Amino acid sequence: MTASPSSLPGKPSTGATEARILDSARELFAEKGFDRTTIRAVAAAAGVDPALVMQYFGSKRELFSQAVQAVPVSLAPADGDALVDQLLATLGLKLGGLPEGTLAMMRSMLTDPAAADHVRAGLARRIDGVTATLPRAEDPELRAALIVTTLLGVTIGHQFLALPGPP
């Protein structure tokens, strides 16, 4: 029986190589955005040939899509007090630092239509979740949209414009 190349001693597994490529892509997309990140730069940062990046991901668009996959966040809790606690925790995360995939998506959302669609869909889900916790409020969807977009603005200000966070 012949061992596969990925199982030979001293050879990294294909899973490890793919993970290294994704980590490098996340860093570059977060730093430079979609338009200014190249397959060659990702490959160089990962220590692989550009053809291998294309073999794993097929295109820069697919690499970007996989690199920015985020762990889904729970939508809104069932009551107002829990919602406030969750929003404050979210704000703390956004002021403390975001995962590189999230930063890449945010940096690219203004110049790349697919990134904008992805962000728009995520924000819509978040607004729906917050709306569900405000059923007795007047205009719950408007209130939820104001909460979510305010958090987005604070995040952009802090992460990309280096505005100070609250004390």
Side-chain angles (χ1 to χ4, degrees), residues 72-78 82-83 86-87 90 121-133:
V73 282
S74 62
L75 292 176
L83 172 63
Q86 182 185 16
L87 292 172
T90 299
L123 291 174
R125 285 190 304 274
R126 183 61 113 176
I127 289 168
D128 289 345
V130 173
T131 299
T133 67

Side-chain angles (χ1 to χ4, degrees), residues 45-91:
V48 299
D49 189 271
L52 187 59
V53 176
M54 296 305 288
Q55 180 181 336
Y56 278 120
F57 300 98
S59 69
K60 180 177 162 182
R61 169 73 50 214
E62 184 58 30
L63 174 62
F64 180 77
S65 294
Q66 289 191 40
V68 299
Q69 292 292 321
V71 177
V73 282
S74 62
L75 292 176
D79 65 52
D81 289 339
L83 172 63
V84 170
D85 289 343
Q86 182 185 16
L87 292 172
L88 289 173
T90 299
L91 183 58

Side-chain angles (χ1 to χ4, degrees), residues 10-166:
K11 290 277 191 180
S13 70
T14 54
T17 302
E18 186 174 0
R20 200 168 66 248
I21 292 168
L22 283 171
D23 287 344
S24 296
R26 280 185 196 101
E27 288 176 22
L28 289 168
F29 285 131
E31 179 185 329
K32 298 180 177 192
F34 179 82
D35 290 335
R36 293 180 41 219
T37 298
T38 66
I39 292 293
R40 287 186 186 280
V42 171
V48 299
D49 189 271
L52 187 59
V53 176
M54 296 305 288
Q55 180 181 336
Y56 278 120
F57 300 98
S59 69
K60 180 177 162 182
R61 169 73 50 214
E62 184 58 30
L63 174 62
F64 180 77
S65 294
Q66 289 191 40
V68 299
Q69 292 292 321
V71 177
V73 282
S74 62
L75 292 176
D79 65 52
D81 289 339
L83 172 63
V84 170
D85 289 343
Q86 182 185 16
L87 292 172
L88 289 173
T90 299
L91 183 58
L93 170 69
K94 292 177 181 201
L95 292 177
L98 293 171
E100 287 174 335
T102 302
L103 289 173
M105 184 63 67
M106 291 180 72
R107 185 173 303 282
S108 299
M109 71 184 176
L110 299 177
T111 59
D112 181 65
D117 289 344
H118 187 81
V119 170
R120 191 176 301 108
L123 291 174
R125 285 190 304 274
R126 183 61 113 176
I127 289 168
D128 289 345
V130 173
T131 299
T133 67
L134 305 171
R136 290 182 240 177
E138 186 178 325
D139 295 323
E141 189 172 293
L142 175 61
R143 290 172 186 264
L146 287 170
I147 291 168
V148 171
T149 56
T150 297
L151 288 174
L152 176 65
V154 168
T155 302
I156 290 170
H158 182 73
Q159 296 290 333
F160 299 110
L161 301 175
L163 295 177

